[in-house]
Amino acid sequence: MWTSYLIYVFIAIGLTFNGLGVVGLLRFPDVYTRLHAATKATTFGSIFTSLGVVTWAFTQLYLSGNSWNLTLALHSLIAIAALLLTNPVGAHAIARAAYKSGVKPKYAVVDRLEVGK
Amino acid sequence: MIDIWFLTGFVIIVWILLSLLRVIFGPTAADRVVALDTINTLIVAVMVVLSVAYRELIYVDIAIVYALLSFVSTLYIAKYLEGGI
């Protein structure tokens, strides 16, 4: 079916962005830029690999009519929603904790949190 | 022929091993927490993919629970670094 090409595209996008996030995690100079690269890119990539799973499940549901596939699709969507809601909040908490524990941005031009004190 | 889902899971596991380098060599504690958060996200992705590879529905449910619990543990470590506990 034509959705198999859609699954390949989704998985390629997901793996590419997961890899870019990991490369950014390894190569960026300080905590905040690493957090910026890793959190956004891996959240996006994981959403796209899970969307590939959802597309596969709906295709199998259309082909075979087995309700197991519908359950798989809905639970994958719930997993996507859990990632999408919890990841930015966790990144915010880590960044705030890093700043409060005394880690400074390495090449900071201006530090508004320091100015505001 | 290798199944496309097993191949996807293998590539994500390679990314997990690469980000494990940041957990090992991270200069500060915050770097290690960032790498751990990345690994948690990637583990949720690989669980969803492997549930299709093995045709097991229960893996996706475990991925949901893992996402929520890893969020709680990230918040707890962040609160500890901040000095709140």
Side-chain angles (χ1 to χ4, degrees), chain A residues 36-85:
Chain A
H36 166 88
T39 307
K40 276 191 284 197
T42 55
T43 307
F44 187 80
S46 304
I47 283 171
F48 267 87
T49 52
S50 304
L51 273 183
V53 172
V54 172
T55 311
W56 180 87
F58 276 125
T59 307
Q60 295 298 117
L61 178 70
Y62 177 74
L63 289 179
S64 70
N66 193 352
S67 70
W68 183 89
N69 297 300
L70 182 62
T71 317
L72 176 67
L74 291 180
H75 287 205
S76 305
L77 285 174
I78 293 172
I80 290 176
L83 274 185
L84 197 58
L85 290 176

Side-chain angles (χ1 to χ4, degrees), chain B residues 5-67:
Chain B
W5 302 107
F6 280 109
L7 190 64
T8 310
F10 176 75
V11 175
I12 297 178
I13 286 171
V14 170
W15 300 145
I16 289 173
L17 291 178
L18 280 178
S19 45
L20 207 58
L21 288 177
R22 184 51 74 187
V23 177
I24 297 170
F25 297 114
T28 65
D31 283 312
R32 296 193 167 95
V33 183
V34 171
L36 193 69
D37 194 43
T38 308
I39 289 176
N40 284 331
T41 310
L42 291 177
I43 282 177
V44 173
V46 82
M47 277 184 188
V48 174
V49 167
L50 285 185
S51 105
V52 177
Y54 289 108
R55 307 289 195 271
E56 289 276 354
L57 186 56
I58 195 75
Y59 291 177
V60 182
D61 300 334
I62 294 173
I64 296 167
V65 175
Y66 188 86

